[in-house]
Amino acid sequence: MTADVCENQQEMEELKMYYEMQIYNVVSRMENIKEDSDSPLVVGLMEASQQVLSGNNRFEKTVLPGLPCSDDGLFVVNQHYSTSLQSLRRMLDQMEQYTSNNNN
């Protein structure tokens, strides 16, 4: 282990991986719903989900590398990804509710 790598580095990577898996699961469910529905609402929510994913990519390229390897850095990573995941889950809930209402 080099002096440049701090003890929180692994925890930050694990936290990022955890959120990426959760986000992947939500987006996969959204894509499954989109396959069965071409409604403007579903299409719009999928477009919005892509904006969230693009924001995550920008975060990973521009912000993440410059974060301090500390509890503050962990906090920022957690806040960013939890907000993204929360937004995607709300979109998924809206999609599920819409498709449920239209199937009844």
Side-chain angles (χ1 to χ4, degrees):
M1 194 180 256
T2 66
D4 294 82
V5 179
C6 77
E7 60 190 53
N8 286 339
Q9 185 72 33
Q10 182 176 355
E11 192 173 348
M12 289 174 81
E13 287 297 319
E14 289 172 358
L15 188 61
K16 179 180 170 269
M17 186 184 315
Y18 166 79
Y19 279 113
E20 286 176 342
M21 290 184 330
Q22 296 297 313
I23 287 169
Y24 174 81
N25 289 337
V26 171
V27 172
S28 293
R29 289 171 57 193
M30 292 173 77
E31 288 171 347
N32 288 338
I33 291 171
K34 186 181 178 311
E35 287 177 11
D36 296 331
S37 176
D38 60 351
S39 79
L41 175 74
V42 171
V43 170
L45 289 169
M46 281 306 299
E47 290 171 1
S49 74
Q50 293 307 310
Q51 291 174 358
V52 171
L53 297 177
S54 293
N56 284 348
N57 286 336
R58 278 190 307 278
F59 176 81
E60 290 168 11
K61 289 178 183 172
T62 60
V63 177
L64 193 58
L67 286 177
C69 194
S70 65
D71 288 342
D72 291 340
L74 284 169
F75 177 79
V76 171
V77 170
N78 190 53
Q79 283 298 110
H80 174 80
Y81 286 110
S82 66
T83 300
S84 295
L85 181 58
Q86 207 171 36
S87 296
L88 291 168
R89 283 185 174 152
R90 273 190 242 128
M91 291 179 216
L92 174 61
D93 289 344
Q94 289 176 347
M95 290 172 92
E96 289 174 338
Q97 184 177 14
Y98 173 80
T99 57
S100 174
N101 289 342
N102 285 334
N103 289 335
N104 291 335

